[in-house]
Structure formats: C-alpha cells, structure tokens
Amino acid sequence: MAAAKRKRRGSLEVQAKKPKRSRKDAGQPAKQADVAKEEEEENRDRIPGPVCKGKWKNKERILIFSSRGINFRTRHLMQDLRMLMPHSKADTKMDRKDKLFVINEVCEMKNCNKCIYFEAKKKQDLYMWLSNSPHGPSAKFLVQNIHTLAELKMTGNCLKGSRPLLSFDPAFDELPHYALLKEFLIQIFSTPRYHPKSQPFVDHVFTFTILDNRIWFRNFQIIEEDAALVEIGPRFVLNLIKIFQGSFGGPTLYENPHYQSPNMHRRIIRSMTAAKYREKQQVKDVQKLRKKEPKTVLPHDPTADVFVTPAEEKPVEIQWVKPEPKVDLKARKKRIYKRHRKLQQKMGRGSAKGISG
C-alpha cells in the first residue's frame, strides 16, 4: 500500500511515485532536447498567466466625501476621483453644522490616514480640504473650473484601477510651501503598489502645473502607438488658501497673499457695473444741463467777411401780362366723357319711344 499523509482537514494525500527511468530514455538525450524545443514553441502561443503580485506594504487609504449642499458637478467630480483612485473609500455626506474636527474620527472609523473633503458654501462656492489624519498637516483650496469625465466627452480611455504616473511642474521645488504640497499630493494621488483593487499597468498620467498662482490638475492617457498623450479628464484648478499644521485646523503654516475670496470677487464685479451705470447717468445729467443753459451769442468779427465775394445781382423781371391758366387734362377728359354719356342716354330713350308708338 502506498504511503499516505493525513492533512489538517482530514483528507488523504497520496504521494505520487516517481517514474522509473529506462535505459532508452537515458541513451537518447537528443530526443529530449527536441521535445523541449517543441514545448517552448507551444508556450509562445499561450496566453501568459496573471502577474505574480508582491506584498502590499503601502497601506495608504483615502477617504473621499463631502458636505451637504453640493451640486451635481461636484458629485460627479467626487465619483470620478473615487474611480481613478482604487485605494479610496466613501462615506455619507457630513452635516454643515458639525465641526471639521469630527472628520478625524470618521477617518479613524474608516481606517483611513488621508482625507479629501469637499465643502460647499452658498450652493456656488466649492472648497477642497486635503488632510493627513489625525496629526496633520492639512491644506484648504478653492476649486475652480471643474470639468468632469462625462462633461468633457474626450476621445480616450484608461483601465479602471491602473496606477498613474505623477508629473509635477519644476516650480514645485522652488518654494517650500509648494514642496510640502508636492509630497502631500504624491501620498494622496499615487496608487499603492500591489494594492488588491489596482491593476499592474501604467496607462495614464496625472499632471500638476502651477500657473497664475494656482495648481492645474489634468489627466492624460498614454497611447501605446507613439506614446502621445490624450486628455480624458477630469480637470479642475486648485487655488491655495492656507496650509495648517494640524488636521483641519491648528496653527497656520502658510497663507496665500494672492488669494481673493469669491465674495470679494463678486463684490468687485458689482461695484464695477455700478460705476459704469453711475458714469452713464452723470453724462446724461451734464447733457441736460448744457441744453438748459442760454446760448452765448458771439460778437460779429469784421475780419470774417474779408474773403467773401458778393454774388452778381440779377435784374428783377416784372410780369405785366397775366399768365394763361393751365389746362387740366384730367378734368377735360371727364367733361367729354359726361357729354358722350348723356348723348347715348338720349338716343336710347328716343329709340324706345319709336318702338312703342
């Protein structure tokens, strides 16, 4: 009876016997080489198996959620970010009356160490918080020029869950607050290697560019044919407001001097339109006053008639004979037509009497 070994589950595992090597096989090494070549040729046409994944060491988890009162565009942007970042998690909307420190507890319950929180105000202004929970730092941005995946409708596509390349502007290394934001964005937007929900492919690029004191986010697909880039979205612009030492609060590390709040921007626009209206009204009032003012009569300048040449005086002709009246041809034709009609009526009456007599 063959030797048997009992497994933990109770099933029997029979050890397979090694095949005996015959003398014919030992004496023909050339035939074995031919068989090995045939196997290699067959393996070339076969589809390779899944890539062997290593150990998942980077345990970065991102919590992406928002406050109540966001519009449809913000909701679609949030869904696009969750789709592009397989290491993200979702949660229910947060009440606007709650304080921001509560988000640290939500991150701890969801087992997340990073957070992207969208805060809506006045149903038209959108703010984004990037935070390292629970110790900080954190940054607050004003989000502008949002365009989602469905809105752009660009020709391009990338694999869901694939790992992106992160491309940063060289200006990120020039100033310390941009260097801090660069490290922050790398930790948040880079998909951890060997993540269970990620794919072992790199087919799109996240670009972060600094222009006009703002961070411009773009997503491009890498085309295999010529390694060209095609934008697939989403896209948005981040206007930095402040960088805090703690998570959702604490001492201010940096404050953007170029930042202008949306309320102030709208106030300036209203004041500019009001100034234009006031200017038009002032012009109209000045014109009315000018019309009411008496006209000033300038004295006659005798030198103005120096170059005036008098015209030749024509003799006045006096008509002694009364001119003949003009003949009205239309009235004359009417009178002739009336006479002719009366003659015809008389002729018709005379012929009628002769027939009756």
Side-chain angles (χ1 to χ4, degrees), residues 118-169:
F118 291 96
E119 185 180 8
K121 290 185 178 180
K122 294 187 176 181
K123 296 184 179 180
Q124 55 183 344
D125 302 330
L126 179 65
Y127 298 91
M128 177 193 285
W129 284 85
L130 301 180
S131 175
N132 184 15
S133 179
H135 304 294
S138 60
K140 185 180 181 181
F141 301 90
L142 174 67
V143 188
Q144 298 171 329
N145 300 334
I146 300 173
H147 297 279
T148 59
L149 276 169
E151 186 181 355
L152 288 174
K153 295 181 181 178
M154 293 183 174
T155 57
N157 188 14
C158 66
L159 187 65
K160 184 178 180 181
S162 58
R163 301 179 66 220
L165 293 174
L166 299 183
S167 175
F168 288 92
D169 196 323

Coordinates of all heavy atoms in Angstrom, one line a residue, residues 118-169:
F118 N -14.8 67.7 0.4 CA -15.4 68.8 -0.4 C -16.4 69.6 0.5 O -17.4 69.0 0.9 CB -16.0 68.3 -1.6 CG -15.1 67.7 -2.6 CD1 -14.8 66.3 -2.7 CD2 -14.4 68.5 -3.5 CE1 -13.9 65.8 -3.6 CE2 -13.5 68.0 -4.5 CZ -13.3 66.6 -4.5
E119 N -16.2 70.8 0.6 CA -17.1 71.7 1.4 C -17.8 72.7 0.5 O -17.1 73.5 -0.2 CB -16.3 72.4 2.5 CG -17.1 73.2 3.5 CD -16.2 73.9 4.6 OE1 -15.0 73.8 4.4 OE2 -16.8 74.4 5.5
A120 N -19.1 72.7 0.5 CA -19.9 73.6 -0.3 C -20.4 74.7 0.5 O -20.9 74.5 1.7 CB -21.0 72.8 -1.0
K121 N -20.4 75.9 0.0 CA -20.9 77.1 0.6 C -21.7 77.9 -0.3 O -21.3 78.1 -1.5 CB -19.8 78.0 1.3 CG -19.1 77.3 2.4 CD -18.1 78.3 3.1 CE -17.5 77.6 4.3 NZ -16.5 78.5 4.9
K122 N -22.9 78.4 0.1 CA -23.8 79.3 -0.7 C -24.2 78.6 -2.0 O -24.7 79.3 -2.9 CB -23.1 80.6 -1.0 CG -22.9 81.5 0.2 CD -22.4 82.8 -0.2 CE -22.2 83.7 1.0 NZ -21.8 85.1 0.7
K123 N -24.1 77.3 -2.1 CA -24.5 76.5 -3.2 C -23.8 76.9 -4.5 O -24.3 76.6 -5.6 CB -26.1 76.6 -3.4 CG -26.8 75.9 -2.3 CD -28.3 75.9 -2.6 CE -29.1 75.3 -1.4 NZ -30.5 75.3 -1.7
Q124 N -22.7 77.6 -4.4 CA -22.0 78.0 -5.6 C -20.5 78.0 -5.4 O -19.7 77.9 -6.4 CB -22.4 79.4 -6.0 CG -22.3 80.5 -5.0 CD -22.8 81.8 -5.4 OE1 -23.0 82.0 -6.6 NE2 -23.1 82.7 -4.5
D125 N -20.0 78.1 -4.2 CA -18.6 78.0 -3.9 C -18.2 76.6 -3.4 O -18.9 76.1 -2.5 CB -18.2 79.1 -2.9 CG -18.6 80.5 -3.4 OD1 -18.6 80.7 -4.6 OD2 -18.9 81.3 -2.5
L126 N -17.1 76.1 -3.9 CA -16.6 74.8 -3.5 C -15.2 74.9 -3.0 O -14.3 75.4 -3.6 CB -16.7 73.8 -4.7 CG -16.2 72.4 -4.4 CD1 -17.1 71.7 -3.4 CD2 -16.1 71.6 -5.7
Y127 N -15.0 74.3 -1.8 CA -13.7 74.3 -1.2 C -13.2 72.8 -1.0 O -14.1 71.9 -0.7 CB -13.7 74.9 0.2 CG -14.0 76.4 0.1 CD1 -15.4 76.8 0.2 CD2 -13.0 77.4 0.0 CE1 -15.7 78.2 0.2 CE2 -13.4 78.7 -0.1 CZ -14.7 79.1 0.0 OH -15.0 80.5 -0.1
M128 N -11.9 72.5 -1.2 CA -11.4 71.2 -1.0 C -10.4 71.2 0.1 O -9.5 72.0 0.1 CB -10.8 70.7 -2.3 CG -10.1 69.3 -2.2 SD -9.1 68.9 -3.6 CE -10.3 68.6 -4.8
W129 N -10.5 70.2 1.0 CA -9.6 70.0 2.1 C -8.8 68.8 1.8 O -9.3 67.7 1.5 CB -10.3 69.9 3.4 CG -10.8 71.1 4.0 CD1 -12.0 71.7 3.8 CD2 -10.2 71.9 5.0 NE1 -12.2 72.9 4.5 CE2 -11.1 73.0 5.3 CE3 -9.0 71.9 5.7 CZ2 -10.7 74.0 6.2 CZ3 -8.7 72.9 6.6 CH2 -9.5 73.9 6.9
L130 N -7.4 68.9 1.9 CA -6.5 67.7 1.8 C -5.9 67.6 3.2 O -5.2 68.6 3.6 CB -5.5 67.9 0.7 CG -6.0 68.1 -0.7 CD1 -4.8 68.2 -1.7 CD2 -6.8 66.9 -1.1
S131 N -6.1 66.5 3.8 CA -5.6 66.4 5.2 C -4.9 65.0 5.4 O -5.3 64.0 4.8 CB -6.8 66.5 6.2 OG -6.4 66.3 7.5
N132 N -3.9 65.1 6.3 CA -3.2 63.9 6.8 C -3.8 63.6 8.2 O -3.4 64.3 9.1 CB -1.7 64.1 6.8 CG -1.0 62.8 7.2 OD1 -1.5 61.7 7.2 ND2 0.3 63.0 7.5
S133 N -4.7 62.7 8.3 CA -5.4 62.4 9.6 C -4.5 61.4 10.4 O -4.0 60.5 9.9 CB -6.8 61.9 9.3 OG -7.4 61.6 10.4
P134 N -4.5 61.7 11.7 CA -5.1 62.7 12.5 C -4.1 63.8 12.9 O -4.5 64.8 13.6 CB -5.6 62.0 13.7 CG -4.5 60.9 13.9 CD -4.0 60.5 12.6
H135 N -2.8 63.7 12.5 CA -1.8 64.6 13.1 C -1.5 65.8 12.2 O -0.9 66.8 12.6 CB -0.5 63.9 13.3 CG -0.7 62.7 14.2 ND1 -1.0 62.8 15.6 CD2 -0.6 61.3 14.0 CE1 -1.1 61.6 16.1 NE2 -0.9 60.7 15.2
G136 N -2.0 65.8 10.9 CA -1.7 66.9 10.0 C -0.4 66.7 9.2 O 0.2 65.6 9.3
P137 N -0.1 67.6 8.3 CA -0.7 68.9 8.1 C -2.0 68.8 7.2 O -2.3 67.7 6.7 CB 0.4 69.7 7.4 CG 1.1 68.6 6.6 CD 1.1 67.4 7.5
S138 N -2.6 69.9 6.9 CA -3.8 70.0 6.1 C -3.7 71.2 5.2 O -3.1 72.2 5.7 CB -5.1 69.9 6.9 OG -5.1 71.0 7.8
A139 N -4.4 71.2 4.1 CA -4.4 72.4 3.2 C -5.8 72.6 2.7 O -6.6 71.6 2.5 CB -3.5 72.1 2.0
K140 N -6.2 73.9 2.6 CA -7.5 74.2 2.1 C -7.4 75.0 0.8 O -6.6 75.9 0.6 CB -8.2 75.2 3.1 CG -9.7 75.5 2.8 CD -10.3 76.4 3.8 CE -11.7 76.7 3.5 NZ -12.4 77.6 4.5
F141 N -8.2 74.5 -0.2 CA -8.2 75.1 -1.6 C -9.6 75.5 -2.0 O -10.6 75.0 -1.5 CB -7.7 74.0 -2.6 CG -6.3 73.5 -2.3 CD1 -6.1 72.3 -1.6 CD2 -5.2 74.1 -2.9 CE1 -4.9 71.8 -1.3 CE2 -3.9 73.6 -2.6 CZ -3.8 72.4 -1.9
L142 N -9.6 76.5 -2.9 CA -10.8 76.9 -3.6 C -10.8 76.2 -4.9 O -9.8 76.4 -5.7 CB -10.9 78.4 -3.7 CG -12.1 78.9 -4.6 CD1 -13.4 78.6 -3.9 CD2 -11.9 80.4 -4.8
V143 N -11.8 75.4 -5.3 CA -11.8 74.6 -6.5 C -12.6 75.5 -7.6 O -13.7 76.0 -7.3 CB -12.5 73.3 -6.3 CG1 -12.4 72.4 -7.6 CG2 -12.0 72.6 -5.1
Q144 N -11.9 75.6 -8.7 CA -12.5 76.4 -9.8 C -12.4 75.7 -11.1 O -11.6 74.7 -11.2 CB -11.7 77.8 -10.0 CG -11.8 78.6 -8.7 CD -10.9 79.8 -8.8 OE1 -9.8 79.8 -9.4 NE2 -11.2 80.9 -8.2
N145 N -13.2 76.1 -12.1 CA -13.2 75.5 -13.5 C -13.3 74.0 -13.4 O -12.4 73.3 -13.9 CB -11.9 76.0 -14.2 CG -11.8 77.5 -14.3 OD1 -12.9 78.1 -14.3 ND2 -10.6 78.0 -14.4
I146 N -14.3 73.4 -12.9 CA -14.5 72.0 -12.8 C -15.1 71.4 -14.1 O -16.1 72.0 -14.6 CB -15.4 71.6 -11.6 CG1 -14.8 72.2 -10.3 CG2 -15.6 70.1 -11.5 CD1 -15.7 72.0 -9.1
H147 N -14.5 70.4 -14.6 CA -15.0 69.7 -15.8 C -14.8 68.2 -15.5 O -13.7 67.7 -15.2 CB -14.2 70.0 -17.1 CG -14.4 71.5 -17.4 ND1 -15.5 72.0 -18.1 CD2 -13.6 72.5 -17.2 CE1 -15.3 73.3 -18.3 NE2 -14.2 73.6 -17.8
T148 N -15.9 67.4 -15.5 CA -15.9 66.0 -15.2 C -15.7 65.2 -16.4 O -15.6 65.6 -17.5 CB -17.3 65.7 -14.5 OG1 -18.3 65.9 -15.4 CG2 -17.5 66.5 -13.2
L149 N -15.6 63.8 -16.2 CA -15.4 62.9 -17.3 C -16.6 62.9 -18.2 O -16.4 62.9 -19.5 CB -15.2 61.5 -16.7 CG -13.8 61.1 -16.2 CD1 -13.9 59.8 -15.4 CD2 -12.9 61.0 -17.4
A150 N -17.8 62.9 -17.7 CA -19.0 62.9 -18.6 C -19.1 64.2 -19.4 O -19.7 64.2 -20.5 CB -20.2 62.6 -17.8
E151 N -18.7 65.3 -18.8 CA -18.9 66.6 -19.4 C -17.9 66.8 -20.5 O -18.2 67.5 -21.5 CB -18.7 67.7 -18.3 CG -19.0 69.1 -18.8 CD -18.8 70.1 -17.7 OE1 -18.5 69.7 -16.6 OE2 -18.9 71.3 -18.0
L152 N -16.6 66.3 -20.4 CA -15.6 66.6 -21.4 C -15.8 65.8 -22.7 O -15.7 66.4 -23.8 CB -14.2 66.2 -20.8 CG -13.7 67.1 -19.7 CD1 -12.4 66.6 -19.2 CD2 -13.4 68.5 -20.3
K153 N -16.2 64.6 -22.6 CA -16.5 63.7 -23.8 C -15.3 63.7 -24.7 O -15.4 64.0 -25.9 CB -17.8 64.2 -24.5 CG -19.0 64.1 -23.7 CD -20.2 64.5 -24.5 CE -21.5 64.4 -23.7 NZ -22.7 64.9 -24.4
M154 N -14.1 63.4 -24.1 CA -12.9 63.4 -24.9 C -12.6 62.0 -25.4 O -13.0 61.0 -24.8 CB -11.7 63.9 -24.1 CG -11.9 65.4 -23.8 SD -10.5 66.0 -22.9 CE -10.9 67.8 -22.9
T155 N -11.9 61.9 -26.5 CA -11.6 60.6 -27.1 C -10.4 60.0 -26.3 O -9.2 60.5 -26.5 CB -11.2 60.7 -28.6 OG1 -10.1 61.7 -28.7 CG2 -12.4 61.2 -29.4
G156 N -10.6 59.1 -25.5 CA -9.6 58.5 -24.7 C -10.2 57.6 -23.6 O -11.3 57.7 -23.3
N157 N -9.4 56.6 -23.1 CA -9.9 55.7 -22.2 C -8.7 55.1 -21.5 O -7.6 54.9 -22.1 CB -10.7 54.6 -22.9 CG -11.4 53.7 -21.8 OD1 -11.5 54.1 -20.7 ND2 -11.8 52.6 -22.3
C158 N -8.8 54.8 -20.2 CA -7.8 54.1 -19.4 C -8.4 53.0 -18.6 O -9.6 53.0 -18.3 CB -7.0 55.1 -18.6 SG -8.0 55.8 -17.2
L159 N -7.5 52.1 -18.2 CA -8.0 50.9 -17.5 C -8.4 51.4 -16.1 O -7.7 52.1 -15.4 CB -6.9 49.9 -17.4 CG -7.3 48.5 -16.8 CD1 -8.3 47.8 -17.7 CD2 -6.0 47.6 -16.7
K160 N -9.5 50.9 -15.6 CA -10.0 51.2 -14.3 C -9.1 50.6 -13.2 O -8.9 49.4 -13.3 CB -11.5 50.8 -14.1 CG -12.1 51.2 -12.8 CD -13.5 50.8 -12.7 CE -14.1 51.2 -11.3 NZ -15.5 50.8 -11.2
G161 N -8.6 51.4 -12.3 CA -7.8 50.8 -11.3 C -6.3 50.8 -11.6 O -5.5 50.3 -10.8
S162 N -5.9 51.3 -12.8 CA -4.5 51.2 -13.1 C -3.7 52.3 -12.4 O -4.3 53.3 -11.9 CB -4.3 51.4 -14.6 OG -4.9 52.7 -15.0
R163 N -2.4 52.1 -12.2 CA -1.6 53.0 -11.5 C -1.2 54.2 -12.4 O -0.7 54.0 -13.5 CB -0.4 52.3 -10.9 CG -0.7 51.1 -10.0 CD 0.5 50.4 -9.5 NE 1.3 51.3 -8.7 CZ 2.6 51.4 -8.7 NH1 3.3 50.6 -9.5 NH2 3.3 52.2 -7.8
P164 N -1.3 55.4 -11.9 CA -0.9 56.6 -12.7 C 0.5 57.0 -12.5 O 1.1 56.8 -11.4 CB -1.9 57.7 -12.2 CG -2.1 57.4 -10.8 CD -2.0 55.8 -10.6
L165 N 1.0 57.7 -13.5 CA 2.3 58.5 -13.3 C 1.9 59.9 -12.8 O 1.0 60.5 -13.3 CB 3.0 58.6 -14.6 CG 3.6 57.3 -15.2 CD1 4.2 57.5 -16.6 CD2 4.7 56.7 -14.3
L166 N 2.7 60.4 -11.9 CA 2.5 61.8 -11.4 C 3.6 62.7 -12.0 O 4.8 62.5 -11.8 CB 2.6 61.8 -9.9 CG 1.5 60.9 -9.1 CD1 1.7 61.1 -7.6 CD2 0.1 61.2 -9.6
S167 N 3.1 63.7 -12.7 CA 4.0 64.7 -13.3 C 3.8 66.0 -12.6 O 2.7 66.5 -12.6 CB 3.7 64.8 -14.8 OG 4.5 65.8 -15.4
F168 N 4.9 66.6 -12.1 CA 4.9 67.9 -11.4 C 5.7 69.0 -12.1 O 6.7 68.7 -12.7 CB 5.4 67.7 -10.0 CG 4.5 66.9 -9.1 CD1 4.7 65.6 -8.9 CD2 3.5 67.6 -8.3 CE1 3.8 64.8 -8.1 CE2 2.7 66.8 -7.5 CZ 2.8 65.5 -7.4
D169 N 5.2 70.2 -12.0 CA 5.9 71.3 -12.5 C 7.2 71.6 -11.8 O 7.3 71.3 -10.6 CB 5.0 72.6 -12.4 CG 5.4 73.7 -13.3 OD1 6.6 73.9 -13.4 OD2 4.5 74.4 -13.8

